Amino acid sequence: MIKKCLLFVIFSICISHAVNSQHSVARQWNEQLLEAIRNDFARPTVHARNLFHASVLMYDAWAIFDETAQSFFLDNTFGNFTTPFSPIPKPIHKEKATKEIISYALFRLLKHRFKDSPNSTETLNALETFFLSLGYDKNFISQEYKLGSFAALGNYMGAKMIEFGLQDNSNESNGYSNKFYQSVNTPLLLDTYNDNADINPNRWQPLAFNLFIDQSGNPFQFNTPSFLSPEWGAVTPFALKEDAATILNNGFDSYIYNDPGPPVYIQDSNDNGIQDPYKWNFALVISWSAQLDPASTILIDISPAKIGNTSISDFPDTFEEYKSFYDFDAGGSAVKGHLVNPKTLKPYSPNIVKQADYTRVLAEFWADGPDSETPPGHWFTILNYVSDHPQSKKTFGASTIELSSLEWDIKSYFVLAGAMHDAAVNTWGIKGYYDYIRPVSAIRYMASKGQSSNANAPSFHPHGLPLMTNLIELIENNDELAGNSNQNIGKIKIKSWRGPDYINNPDTDVAGVGWILGTRWWPYQRPSFVTPPFAGYLSGHSTFSRAAAEVLTLITNDAFFPGGIGTFDVI
């Protein structure tokens, strides 16, 4: 079952970021970390790791004083790294001691992790202000904890996590840069519309911008961003077993967990290109892009009665099943919806909206606009929302014992962060090895080649786009795209979102949907139409979301979390 109404996920980003002093210290430090992520580069792999390492420190700070819990990092070997620990006397006030250890450990770790952030001054000042507000001494840096100093123990734990992070194969000391990966394709010059016909259509291609602004709104130091974390499969995971990894080489050794096998590769088509799974997939992207027009009057019901509730066993596996599952022309997929609200046992009321508005909001949300905490962080905002819900009972899993807010937060963060970290290690390891192409590169490549549906028609090429009436067509005489000298006759045109060529003033102009040259196709991205941001890694997003939804279901013992499916009023 797909957990929660999609609107819950979309508008969870609108939840207040303010820190409530009534929250546990774990929650307050989690909010500090999420805010630091919002002000950093949009790096979901890196931030999944930051969230996980922070949660490990918080968990161990609690576990060392618990009667039955076992620490994860302290007095253990994690990966190939051992953290010695000499037990200290149990404190009289365990929660106070835990709060002190957490605060010193997180203060040291986060100061280190975000010292080179593009907004480091703002972030480091915020961390220091919060730390001082708790009554702690920023100048106390001793790690001599054996005499019973909880502050020193926090410093020691933070220092050991920093040390661990410098050898966990993330290449943190070099800004997480790639050590081995090299793209086989030259960059796609997005704004100049150069011919893209000479690339390998099955491999990733860098994108070159006049000015690159990342998904968190930060100007980037290079205008051709590199592949994000293609070597991340080698990073020390949480629960993935190293001996279960397969080492494959596609230019460098990639550590692959749960290998799904290769993606579909382009085929040489003869007269019927749409039967090629590769071409069908990217033609689907074009078709759904044509549904983003604000002028469209098509209405759909986005209530839970019509969305979600598809079992994993019903997900498509074969090309024929994919074609049946996804509605190529009208959008959406074969879902069951929910007959009744599982809490009230009453049917859901219809929620009728313009399809184009809904689909654009989906695209904008998954583009991770400015101030985003990235997909792993999104799920921490959702967890925090669940934590604060008046119907929440802080019982963990199937247990009926209600926990303190501190214990609930620490355990929940630890489990969720471990899942997010492993999702990043697993998914980006696969991404790096298979090195697959993005829609913008694939569509411009095929449009540069021509059409693959009719060998007797102009611009035929086995790698061209499939011709489809009112979606992908050839430019003919008297077409408005023919050009002043008819230079475009016989080339490919597609009906799609028209892109930044039709945006002069981002505050007022609407590109809309219409016919454009296929070689000028753009993905729909909201944050900057003038300098479009880096295309999102949607497969990574969906992996984070599925893993997180399963974890939250197990934590709360409720597939819908407390209160049923959430709704949010948008002003």
Side-chain angles (χ1 to χ4, degrees):
M1 178 183 300
I2 294 178
K3 313 298 190 295
K4 303 296 286 176
C5 170
L6 191 52
L7 284 183
F8 175 88
V9 178
I10 294 171
F11 295 116
S12 67
I13 198 169
C14 298
I15 296 168
S16 172
H17 300 326
V19 175
N20 187 326
S21 61
Q22 300 304 310
H23 288 144
S24 76
V25 72
R27 168 67 175 274
Q28 293 179 68
W29 275 109
N30 178 256
E31 295 283 6
Q32 290 293 321
L33 174 50
L34 292 174
E35 190 60 26
I37 291 172
R38 294 178 190 114
N39 288 320
D40 191 43
F41 292 120
R43 303 180 284 189
T45 49
V46 172
H47 294 313
R49 175 177 172 272
N50 284 330
L51 287 159
F52 174 57
H53 290 177
S55 77
V56 167
L57 293 177
M58 290 194 284
Y59 178 81
D60 277 7
W62 167 83
I64 57 175
F65 300 136
D66 186 75
E67 298 293 336
T68 58
Q70 180 180 347
S71 60
F72 179 82
F73 186 62
L74 277 178
D75 204 26
N76 274 322
T77 297
F78 179 30
N80 296 316
F81 187 89
T82 300
T83 304
F85 175 61
S86 299
I88 59 177
K90 296 290 177 68
I92 298 174
H93 302 290
K94 288 197 298 185
E95 189 159 317
K96 181 179 179 181
T98 299
K99 176 180 179 180
E100 188 170 349
I101 296 168
I102 287 174
S103 296
Y104 276 88
L106 269 290
F107 183 55
R108 303 304 175 194
L109 176 68
L110 300 187
K111 279 182 62 180
H112 168 78
R113 289 285 170 85
F114 291 93
K115 68 182 186 301
D116 296 320
S117 171
N119 296 291
S120 59
T121 300
E122 177 183 347
T123 294
L124 298 183
N125 285 342
L127 293 172
E128 183 172 308
T129 298
F130 175 64
F131 182 76
L132 295 176
S133 76
L134 298 175
Y136 299 128
D137 181 0
K138 69 176 184 178
N139 296 314
F140 181 78
I141 59 174
S142 171
Q143 298 178 31
E144 296 298 325
Y145 67 87
K146 294 178 183 179
L147 297 179
S149 169
F150 302 123
L153 178 56
N155 284 335
Y156 172 74
M157 291 169 61
K160 295 304 286 186
M161 186 59 78
I162 290 169
E163 187 181 343
F164 167 79
L166 295 175
Q167 57 83 64
D168 70 344
N169 297 318
S170 65
N171 202 23
E172 178 188 330
S173 59
N174 292 308
Y176 309 99
S177 62
N178 301 329
K179 294 186 289 185
F180 309 111
Y181 174 85
Q182 296 289 332
S183 173
V184 301
N185 289 318
T186 57
L188 172 60
L189 306 176
L190 284 162
D191 295 318
T192 59
Y193 304 115
N194 288 2
D195 189 288
N196 205 40
D198 293 329
I199 65 167
N200 182 331
N202 297 317
R203 301 289 293 274
W204 188 83
Q205 181 182 31
L207 304 181
F209 302 84
N210 289 334
L211 171 65
F212 173 65
I213 299 175
D214 89 330
Q215 292 167 320
S216 291
N218 298 299
F220 205 71
Q221 57 183 332
F222 304 111
N223 63 0
T224 306
S226 59
F227 197 135
L228 173 71
S229 306
E231 301 157 14
W232 208 253
V235 172
T236 304
F238 165 51
L240 299 169
K241 302 300 183 184
E242 187 175 352
D243 58 5
T246 302
I247 301 177
L248 302 175
N249 192 294
N250 191 12
F252 60 94
D253 283 348
S254 297
Y255 288 75
I256 308 296
Y257 301 88
N258 304 306
D259 185 5
V264 294
Y265 297 130
I266 197 166
Q267 300 173 12
D268 288 338
S269 302
N270 291 309
D271 294 338
N272 197 358
I274 198 62
Q275 294 306 313
D276 176 350
Y278 178 104
K279 294 170 188 168
W280 181 88
N281 272 289
F282 292 115
L284 176 74
V285 174
I286 294 172
S287 178
W288 286 15
S289 178
Q291 297 165 16
L292 300 173
D293 192 355
S296 171
T297 58
I298 297 174
L299 301 176
I300 59 173
D301 183 359
I302 62 168
S303 74
K306 298 295 183 181
I307 288 180
N309 202 25
T310 300
S311 168
I312 292 178
S313 62
D314 292 330
F315 285 175
D317 290 317
T318 67
F319 179 42
E320 293 304 318
E321 289 175 348
Y322 273 101
K323 289 194 292 183
S324 298
F325 187 79
Y326 291 107
D327 192 323
F328 190 98
D329 298 311
S333 59
V335 295
K336 298 175 182 178
H338 304 81
L339 291 176
V340 296
N341 182 314
K343 296 296 181 181
T344 66
L345 301 182
K346 295 180 181 180
Y348 287 102
S349 300
N351 186 5
I352 308 300
V353 300
K354 291 178 68 174
Q355 181 190 41
D357 290 346
Y358 177 67
T359 52
R360 289 198 316 279
V361 167
L362 287 180
E364 291 169 11
F365 177 78
W366 287 117
D368 280 321
D371 301 322
S372 166
E373 57 268 21
T374 75
H378 293 335
W379 281 95
F380 278 81
T381 66
I382 293 172
L383 172 58
N384 289 339
Y385 166 84
V386 170
S387 247
D388 290 342
H389 197 285
Q391 294 184 32
S392 281
K393 292 183 178 179
K394 295 186 177 179
T395 55
F396 203 80
S399 172
T400 58
I401 300 173
E402 192 151 2
L403 307 179
S404 69
S405 291
L406 178 63
E407 184 175 346
W408 159 268
D409 287 339
I410 284 173
K411 288 182 173 180
S412 299
Y413 291 154
F414 182 54
V415 176
L416 178 60
M420 296 297 90
H421 179 56
D422 278 2
V425 171
N426 199 335
T427 304
W428 266 263
I430 292 168
K431 285 174 179 287
Y433 173 69
Y434 287 111
D435 194 36
Y436 200 51
I437 195 167
R438 288 181 283 210
V440 65
S441 294
I443 290 170
R444 291 196 187 186
Y445 167 81
M446 290 186 286
S448 295
K449 290 294 188 183
Q451 56 87 15
S452 58
S453 294
N454 187 346
N456 296 315
S459 301
F460 176 79
H461 191 281
H463 281 192
L465 281 165
L467 295 176
M468 305 183 72
T469 302
N470 205 36
L471 184 67
I472 305 170
E473 297 181 357
L474 289 172
I475 297 173
E476 299 178 348
N477 289 323
N478 301 319
D479 192 299
E480 63 178 9
L481 294 175
N484 295 332
S485 304
N486 291 327
Q487 70 272 18
N488 293 328
I489 291 176
K491 293 182 180 180
I492 296 294
K493 67 175 182 178
I494 59 179
K495 182 180 285 187
S496 187
W497 180 69
R498 297 191 299 175
D501 291 343
Y502 294 83
I503 300 286
N504 292 318
N505 185 340
D507 294 329
T508 58
D509 292 349
V510 177
V513 168
W515 288 102
I516 58 174
L517 285 167
T519 53
R520 296 195 170 201
W521 186 84
W522 291 84
Y524 176 82
Q525 301 279 11
R526 180 188 63 84
S528 171
F529 289 117
V530 178
T531 53
F534 193 47
Y537 289 94
L538 296 189
S539 60
H541 294 1
S542 60
T543 305
F544 286 130
S545 293
R546 185 75 208 199
E550 295 293 342
V551 166
L552 264 65
T553 296
L554 293 170
I555 289 173
T556 62
N557 200 32
D558 187 341
F560 294 90
F561 316 149
I565 290 177
T567 59
F568 297 85
D569 295 324
V570 182
I571 300 175

